[in-house]
Amino acid sequence: MKLLSLAFPVLLAALISSGCVRTQPPVDMHRESAWSAFQAEAAGSPVTLSPAKDVLSGSIRFGLPQDTRRVTYMLWPIHAQENSRGLPGLRLEVNAGAGPSVCSALWQSGRITLLLHQEKQAWTCRDSRENLGKLLGISLPLELPRIYAFLCGRSYSALGKPSPVSGTGGASFAFGRDALVSRITLRPDGSPVQLQTWDGWDVDVDYGDDRLPARLDGKLKTPDGDLRFLLLVKGRAPLNAAQPPAGLSIPAGYSIRELDD
């Protein structure tokens, strides 16, 4: 027995040096497969892309706890106006619940045109997340064209095709400052379930039966409390001649204002 106890360390060292004993933790196959599935969307994966469901409708709730507003929306693309970032031009209609339209907006050729119908004002500006925040009075987790692409299943493209700089365990990935997000967590099928942005947004993502995002629930800590952004997708429809027009004209009598960056 004493001879065996002396021989065991020698045998163990030999096994390690020959590679029979692992000295590094095994590769997390779930993590690798989730990331590969996430990237596959950019190649046109039929699992995530649903071109027959381009027109989105639902509700948005946003604001501070003491001043949360709820509106309904309809959002649809202008496919011919896809920009250099691979994001489509967009048309947006916002209604006060079941009431009349309170806002119409167009994203086209790198510009935003926004009509405020109650105020009879038309605002135009360069297409940027910062400008949209000024127009809406709330900073969104992403630019609206990116949110639209994300809701249509183009999550990897919508987030700018990021490359992770590190992992935090499981299928959670961290990114550098050049990325749109600071961290994402993926399901085994590659679908993001949580996003964190560099400016503090923390967004949970839920999916519908069609495996497309149906709920974005975002929170942003501010000195006045947690800012809330809750977007629900309640309907998806094909883009056809029966849908509202792609263009947006400024009605007579509206004052036109330019918003600088």
Side-chain angles (χ1 to χ4, degrees):
M1 182 63 70
K2 183 177 180 181
L3 180 62
L4 180 60
S5 65
L6 292 174
F8 181 74
V10 177
L11 177 61
L12 181 61
L15 288 172
I16 292 175
S17 63
S18 66
C20 294
V21 175
R22 291 181 181 270
T23 58
Q24 298 295 329
V27 175
D28 188 337
M29 297 306 294
H30 162 63
R31 175 183 172 81
E32 288 193 349
S33 63
W35 182 259
S36 296
F38 177 55
Q39 287 182 306
E41 169 271 309
S45 167
V47 174
T48 55
L49 297 180
S50 298
K53 298 181 178 181
D54 283 341
V55 182
L56 307 183
S57 59
S59 64
I60 301 174
R61 187 181 296 276
F62 62 94
L64 295 168
Q66 66 274 18
D67 184 25
T68 301
R69 287 155 284 177
R70 179 184 177 276
V71 297
T72 59
Y73 72 90
M74 181 177 288
L75 183 64
W76 64 99
I78 308 169
H79 286 294
Q81 296 295 329
E82 192 165 276
N83 62 28
S84 59
R85 294 172 293 173
L87 300 172
L90 288 178
R91 270 283 279 115
L92 171 70
E93 284 291 332
V94 177
N95 295 75
S101 174
V102 296
C103 172
S104 302
L106 174 70
W107 281 256
Q108 187 176 40
S109 302
R111 303 284 298 174
I112 301 175
T113 300
L114 184 140
L115 306 181
L116 300 175
H117 299 302
Q118 293 179 343
E119 296 83 354
K120 293 189 179 300
Q121 293 179 356
W123 290 86
T124 65
C125 61
R126 185 179 63 85
D127 180 5
S128 72
R129 181 168 168 242
E130 292 74 20
N131 279 342
L132 182 62
K134 293 176 183 178
L135 290 172
L136 299 180
I138 177 177
S139 136
L140 299 184
L142 296 168
E143 301 165 71
L144 194 63
R146 292 191 183 277
I147 290 177
Y148 173 81
F150 188 93
L151 294 172
C152 289
R154 298 172 58 190
S155 53
Y156 181 59
S157 299
L159 298 179
K161 300 182 180 180
S163 296
V165 296
S166 65
T168 57
S172 184
F173 302 85
F175 303 89
R177 279 282 183 176
D178 58 333
L180 298 171
V181 289
S182 60
R183 190 181 308 275
I184 63 172
T185 301
L186 304 177
R187 297 194 307 190
D189 65 359
S191 303
V193 292
Q194 188 178 50
L195 312 173
Q196 292 178 337
T197 66
W198 284 108
D199 58 355
W201 277 104
D202 195 335
V203 182
D204 293 322
V205 186
D206 292 326
Y207 291 79
D209 294 337
D210 56 6
R211 300 174 67 181
L212 292 171
R215 176 187 172 102
L216 303 181
D217 189 352
K219 295 180 179 64
L220 175 67
K221 291 187 179 299
T222 75
D224 298 319
D226 286 352
L227 189 63
R228 183 83 181 276
F229 173 74
L230 177 62
L231 184 149
L232 303 179
V233 179
K234 298 181 179 180
R236 298 178 185 267
L239 187 65
N240 55 45
Q243 300 299 334
L248 180 64
S249 59
I250 299 176
Y254 277 53
S255 61
I256 302 175
R257 303 183 182 185
E258 173 75 22
L259 177 68
D260 295 326
D261 286 315

